Amino acid sequence: MLRLRAVFEKSGRAKYISHLDLNRCMLRVFRRSKLPVWYTEGFNPHPYYSFALALSLGFESSCEIMDFNINDDEMTLEEIRDRLNAVMPEGMRIISVAEQVKKITAIAKAEYSFSLVSEDVTGVYDAVKGILDESEILIEKKTKKGVKTVDIRPDLELVSCEITENSVDMAIRLPAGTQTNFNPTLFMEALKNYCNIPFEARKIRRTGILCENNEKFS
Amino acid sequence: MNLKEKIEKHLLEVQKPSRYIGGEVGSVIKDKSKVDVRFAFCFPDTYDIGMSHIGMKILYSLTNERENYWCERCFAPGTDFEEIMRKNDIPLYALESLDPIKEFDFIGFTMQYELSYTTVLNMLDLAGIPIFAKDRTDELTQIVVAGGPCVCNPEPLADFFDIFILGEGEEVNLELMDLYLDMKRQGASRLDFLRRAARIEGIYVPQFYEFSYKSDGTIEKMTVRENAPATVKKRIIKDFDKVYYPENFVVPFTEIVHDRVSVEVLRGCIRGCRFCQAGFIYRPFREKKPDTIYNETKCLCENTGYDEVSLASLSTSDHSEIDGMLTKLIDYTAGERINLSLPSLRVDNFSESLLEKIKKVRKSGLTFAAEGGTQRLRDVINKNVSEEEIMNTCRIAFQGGYSSVKLYFMMGLPTETDDDIIGIAELAQRILDLFYSIEDRPKGRSPQISVSCATFVPKPFTPFQFEPQDTREEIERKQKLLLDSVKSKKIRVSYHDPDVSQLEAVLAKGDRRLCSVIYSAWKKGCKFDSWSEHFKFGTWLEAFEECGVDPAFYANRRLAFDEILPWDHLDYLVSKEFFIRENKTAHKSVTTPNCRLRCSGCGVNKAVGRECFCYD
Ligand code: SF4
């Protein structure tokens, strides 16, 4: 049995596929591909596959991760990738298939890029600089137990921040994985409260899933 | 900003956005510069419901097989998205190209139920297409057409459509598009096209027909203009086994009502239940060979990736080779870990090995459409199911581990008395008693008998088309009587809203004077009438009042046999004499045997020029 990990892209119209729907969608991808995927045992056998991280509705991604097993040791990884790509919906594409190296628990952060579109780009740009100079960035996070105030400043890493004609294009890293997950929209909300300048976040894209030492998770 | 950007700007503000952006596996994208005719297939309900509809899947794929024709899908947006569309000038668009449907050559609606009529108007309005046919351009474009079961009496919709397509669409749709392309190239006008189209069998152009009325409100006469045929005959597919069936479905991302492969196994029905419109308008009975069914199932499962299949028909157990067909299907689906959902089947003529196999795959509960509470009433409606059969099936089911049964009935049927209503409760009680009398019944589980009561709706092209519907007061009295007659908490009764059923009857049997009522109801905010949360009966009553139309005239009046009916000029191959004969037989509580036992001379055989079955 091959224990595999696929990295896939989700963009264009596919960004409107919710996480729940993605599950069903992949089940049908596997069935259409006729790959000998490994089924769970028990009363209601179904193909086993699991996604490393959920992606918010409306986000694009070039680095989604899905684990699955193939009941065939002879197949090449390229063949598996190509057979899946042949039956993927528009906007979804398997970038690579490789054997699983690390445990899912090794995931520590995720990197996101996005554009903040505004009439007042310099204002937004200054606000970004300003908020990152603060010692704490408090946000309200909804949890199962109610609303909690969290400081995201210690875990937030700025990767890049550029100003264009009508937007501020940035990339940031936030904690992700089985323990803590911060959605980049939390940062945007904090920024909105901080500066009071209207802006709209566009083209939100997950660009990397990383381990603690910023190494790419694989 | 182009339309796609406009849509995407707001898409995350609505529920289940994937319904509004297309891109599903199996959807067909073409280069529009190479396409000659564009057809928007519109379903007047939301995506979740419309996408489940098998007729749309067939005609979508069939049209798209033609390289230069492009058929796209279009559904009614949910109210949240509609609001955004109206506020931001987003016209109703098709899901493949995301182009506004007002730019299309054909805008085709499928009319599956009467309560979707206001939604059609709402969709035309959202599309920016004139709602009344007479207000549309003289040019040859934007032809608004409709098909589906409701167009067997399309008169209440006559003012809104250019063309109605009667019967099965697999051939005639393409003929219509061919004619269109031909005439478009010649530079013909809309009216030229409609005149020529009216000569195609199955094509009804309502504006060429005019009605006058007597002082008592009934029809005086119908006049035909423009040399259109005096009666329009529905289309049928002669060789059903060879009829086109899609090799692929559009596979939605979001869950829809029937989210599975569906294979049509037969068309028509041999039973002739006297209230059932489907049982008559789809005649003659035709079936596919088991091999065809098997091949279509396999092909669709492989191409869509669905792991569930259902069989579509009015009565699957009437397939002449049901045993062989199911055996083959169960072997395939079990091997591929595909779930085969079986409808309620008459178990009497199954082989033992098949019964065993069915037991293993059946998941759904046990349902029974008894329709009438007493044998007398079941004879009146020609529902040929005996109490013995019901009891036998329940016994087998209880012994097989079932503890719940769902029974369907109709209330307000012709000749119905209070005894028939009490009979419903008594039948449910006897099934409950049966459960307790069985030694090897499922232990530790409490039985549950659900009784679901619909209100009888008289429909065109049935022997009961002449019958009045019970008034709301009478239905409510009977509902109360039923509740009072039920003695056990293990019997649960539910019923339909009688107002909904009355509106259904009016729209089903109505004439052209209803067009203004439908328009007015929509103007006042009615849409999605089949959804209880949207249904506004008070508003409908206002619309009737305003237009001077009395709903009781259509729903609660007995029609005379010699009256001109709004649908008399439409020929669904079953003769009016037959319906009259059947109506009289019903009032004598006499049944009519099913078509496989004996032909009752409904007229279909004469119309198609051959017998439906060979009788030895
Ligand atoms: S012609 Fe005879 S057999 Fe055929 S549908 Fe009519 S009644 Fe049935």
Side-chain angles (χ1 to χ4, degrees), chain A residues 4 8 23 30 47-53 65-68 104:
Chain A
L4 301 176
F8 67 96
N23 251 304
F30 278 120
Y48 165 81
Y49 53 92
S50 88
F51 301 100
L53 291 177
I65 283 174
M66 173 180 67
D67 290 351
F68 60 102
I104 285 290

Side-chain angles (χ1 to χ4, degrees), chain A residues 56-76:
Chain A
S56 297
L57 192 68
F59 287 19
E60 296 191 311
S61 172
S62 48
C63 59
E64 289 312 283
I65 283 174
M66 173 180 67
D67 290 351
F68 60 102
N69 304 329
I70 291 283
N71 274 328
D72 184 336
D73 298 330
E74 307 290 291
M75 252 183 200
T76 69

Side-chain angles (χ1 to χ4, degrees), chain A residues 13 16 21 31-32 39, chain B residues 8 21 303-305 336-337:
Chain A
R13 306 203 217 197
Y16 300 104
D21 293 344
R31 292 199 66 101
R32 287 194 293 267
Y39 272 65
Chain B
E8 289 210 57
I21 194 74
N303 287 336
T304 60
E336 294 289 324
R337 298 177 157 115

Side-chain angles (χ1 to χ4, degrees), chain B residues 269-272 279-280 283-285 573-574 578 581 592-608 610-613 615:
Chain B
C269 184
I270 61 170
R271 301 271 152 196
F280 296 100
R283 287 185 178 200
F285 180 86
L573 313 186
V574 180
F578 172 77
R581 202 160 69 229
T592 296
N594 77 54
C595 294
R596 195 170 267 139
L597 290 174
R598 196 188 77 201
C599 172
S600 308
C602 76
V604 164
N605 50 353
K606 290 206 190 101
V608 300
R610 65 179 156 83
E611 289 307 318
C612 302
F613 298 95
Y615 307 98

Side-chain angles (χ1 to χ4, degrees), chain B residues 425-451:
Chain B
E426 288 174 349
L427 179 60
Q429 184 63 46
R430 283 197 291 279
I431 294 174
L432 189 61
D433 294 344
L434 173 78
F435 178 85
Y436 287 114
S437 74
I438 291 173
E439 294 267 315
D440 48 351
R441 65 175 182 262
K443 292 281 144 56
R445 257 188 297 163
S446 163
Q448 179 73 251
I449 316 288
S450 358
V451 170

